[in-house]
Amino acid sequence: MEILHRNWRRESITRMSTSTPSDNGNQPGSVAGDFPPDPLLASDSFISSTTPAGDGTLGSSAKRRPIQGGSGATGSRQRARIGMSNGTDQVDPSPDNSAHQAESKSRKRAAPGDNWLPPNWRVEEKVRTSGATAGTVDKKEYKCLEGRPHRIDLVFGKYCDRGIESLYYFEPITGRKFRSRTEVLYYLEHGTSSRGSKKAESTDLSSDHFEGQGSKRASRKAKEPPPPPLNFDFGNPPEKVSWCMSSTGEEAWTPFVGDDKVQDSVRRDWCTAFTAVTTQNPSKLSL
Amino acid sequence: MNHQATHSKVISHVFFTGTAKQGSAGPPIGLVDIGVSEAAYIFRVSLPGIEKNQNKIKCEIQREGRVCIQGVVPEIAIPSETGCLYRMQVQQLCPPGPFSITFNLPGQVDPRLFSPKFRPDGIFEVVVVKLGVSIPTS
């Protein structure tokens, strides 16, 4: 894993088995119990659907070995799968929800299996608690305990235009999207995307493509502040105002009431009132 | 005889054509025109020869409509090769020195709603809103 920062810990793992159920998971209409590969889940640490929700948490977590992208053939294949998720080569129609439901039964909290992340990062999952899809993992939040960027979300989304569900990692601040751990790690190290083309991908996903994941990409349109009310008392003009032109630079007039210079904020209110009076239909003030 | 002798002594070197010939013998300082609209007054004051960036101009405006413009007419001096200054002998233009122009507007004004503009052609143009004019609150 050459892209890991040198300060980050690299955990070496050994693959214990090469035959995984996910090898069969790419077939359409896979039987129950076969799960598509989860990029966060080691290929040989799949969770049986019969695992109880409560007791299986620790057990499955204990059984789950840390995985690391690129450490084996399975990992590479998983990355390839994610990389193809936007393409037409994706032949796996099995919804990821089956995997999500399975893993949500067993993983209710931070998964220790996400050790591909740097050691100062931790992962949090958000599980739906209501609705027909209760139990579905909406997303995982990878939070950096220090340094930047501060968080990477893993969002389970769907590309509606192609009808293909896919996983992607999501940096909520910039809206950048990553399709694989490789890209995430590259981003964590360099602070930028590995390729310029990835940058454009972060914008091609409109909010319509999300399925209620509580996306953090809520539109942050800058609201124009309403014009402040006119702070001007038409009824109480001062007796006399002296306007002096500055002796240098652009023509600028400074009003004085008595010997005191009028504050700039008050001056702006005067200008606003003058513009309002001379541009709108004025009305006579009953004095 | 006496009149002819005087006439022969003074030979004018300034000639006027057009409007300058019809009116006074030069553009004096302080000619004022005042216009009135429904909401404001506008007055224009001729201030020829006064550079706006070098001579501090002050304009007092009172609520009763009294306007007082103060300024200084600069002295024109042309340096020679030897370092001496040749001062202009003013004959018809306004002589150098401070001045003030005071006049009254036809009615009361709000001295805060005052928009001065010193135009580059030597005309000082001001729009000032009448007293009692407000904007509709609706």
Side-chain angles (χ1 to χ4, degrees), chain A residues 80-149:
Chain A
R81 175 185 174 272
I82 298 176
M84 289 189 304
S85 60
N86 200 21
T88 56
D89 293 335
Q90 176 71 294
V91 295
D92 184 4
S94 64
D96 288 322
N97 276 341
S98 61
H100 304 165
Q101 289 169 356
E103 71 180 3
S104 65
K105 288 178 183 174
S106 58
R107 291 202 290 175
K108 294 292 185 184
R109 55 185 180 180
D114 295 319
N115 281 359
W116 60 275
L117 282 167
N120 58 342
W121 284 67
R122 62 189 170 92
V123 60
E124 291 180 356
E125 292 181 2
K126 287 190 176 179
V127 184
R128 292 186 190 175
T129 57
S130 64
T133 58
T136 302
V137 176
D138 271 344
K139 65 180 179 182
K140 302 172 183 175
E141 286 186 356
Y142 298 90
K143 290 187 176 177
C144 184
L145 304 181
E146 56 184 351
R148 56 98 191 145

Side-chain angles (χ1 to χ4, degrees), chain A residues 265-285:
Chain A
S265 59
V266 179
R267 171 76 203 282
R268 279 192 292 272
D269 291 335
W270 291 9
C271 287
T272 306
F274 181 87
T275 305
V277 167
T278 53
T279 55
Q280 302 178 12
N281 287 326
S283 63
K284 291 291 183 181
L285 199 67

Side-chain angles (χ1 to χ4, degrees), chain A residues 37-41 67 81-82 85 96 99-100 103 107 111 114 116-117 121-128 136-143 151-158 166-172 176-181 184 205 210 212-216:
Chain A
D38 186 345
L40 299 177
L41 203 62
I67 63 171
R81 175 185 174 272
I82 298 176
S85 60
D96 288 322
H100 304 165
E103 71 180 3
R107 291 202 290 175
D114 295 319
W116 60 275
L117 282 167
W121 284 67
R122 62 189 170 92
V123 60
E124 291 180 356
E125 292 181 2
K126 287 190 176 179
V127 184
R128 292 186 190 175
T136 302
V137 176
D138 271 344
K139 65 180 179 182
K140 302 172 183 175
E141 286 186 356
Y142 298 90
K143 290 187 176 177
R151 208 174 71 207
I152 295 287
D153 288 349
L154 174 62
V155 179
F156 299 92
K158 173 187 282 186
S166 63
L167 304 174
Y168 48 89
Y169 303 87
F170 181 67
E171 208 278 284
R176 187 163 292 165
K177 187 175 63 183
F178 309 98
R179 298 194 187 282
S180 68
R181 285 171 294 183
V184 172
L205 193 66
F210 287 92
Q213 281 91 2
S215 168
K216 304 280 182 162

Side-chain angles (χ1 to χ4, degrees), chain A residues 42-94:
Chain A
S43 58
D44 53 348
S45 63
F46 76 101
I47 302 154
S48 172
S49 59
T50 60
T51 302
D55 296 334
T57 303
L58 289 176
S60 61
S61 298
K63 284 187 288 185
R64 189 179 303 115
R65 282 190 301 100
I67 63 171
Q68 193 170 24
S71 62
T74 305
S76 301
R77 192 184 134 276
Q78 287 171 346
R79 284 207 311 279
R81 175 185 174 272
I82 298 176
M84 289 189 304
S85 60
N86 200 21
T88 56
D89 293 335
Q90 176 71 294
V91 295
D92 184 4
S94 64

Side-chain angles (χ1 to χ4, degrees), chain A residues 8-38:
Chain A
W8 291 353
R9 180 165 51 91
R10 174 179 173 178
E11 294 189 356
S12 62
I13 59 171
T14 57
R15 301 183 64 241
M16 294 170 66
S17 68
T18 57
S19 174
T20 66
S22 60
D23 289 337
N24 300 325
N26 287 336
Q27 300 303 320
S30 59
V31 297
D34 289 341
F35 302 104
D38 186 345

Side-chain angles (χ1 to χ4, degrees), chain B:
Chain B
M1 284 297 289
N2 192 15
H3 176 71
Q4 288 180 350
T6 303
H7 188 269
S8 62
K9 286 180 182 175
V10 179
I11 301 173
S12 174
H13 292 278
V14 179
F15 302 95
F16 297 100
T17 60
T19 56
K21 192 176 184 179
Q22 298 169 7
S24 58
I29 279 183
L31 294 181
V32 181
D33 263 340
I34 298 173
V36 182
S37 76
E38 186 178 348
Y41 298 110
I42 180 172
F43 59 86
R44 307 175 83 217
V45 183
S46 66
L47 298 174
I50 295 173
E51 299 175 56
K52 64 179 179 180
N53 286 342
Q54 295 181 5
N55 305 276
K56 198 160 187 176
I57 300 174
K58 181 180 176 185
C59 183
E60 278 184 6
I61 177 98
Q62 298 181 15
R63 192 170 59 191
E64 303 305 318
R66 188 166 186 83
V67 179
C68 180
I69 301 168
Q70 294 174 310
V72 176
V73 177
E75 187 178 51
I76 303 299
I78 302 171
S80 68
E81 295 175 355
T82 61
C84 297
L85 288 178
Y86 289 101
R87 299 187 188 281
M88 184 78 175
Q89 290 286 342
V90 176
Q91 294 182 344
Q92 294 187 341
L93 294 174
C94 186
F99 69 91
S100 71
I101 303 161
T102 303
F103 56 93
N104 285 313
L105 293 172
Q108 290 185 325
V109 296
D110 190 330
R112 298 168 296 178
L113 304 178
F114 185 84
S115 170
K117 170 72 176 173
F118 198 97
R119 292 156 52 108
D121 57 2
I123 299 294
F124 180 51
E125 185 177 278
V126 175
V127 175
V128 59
V129 176
K130 292 178 181 176
L131 186 66
V133 172
S134 178
I135 55 175
T137 56
S138 59

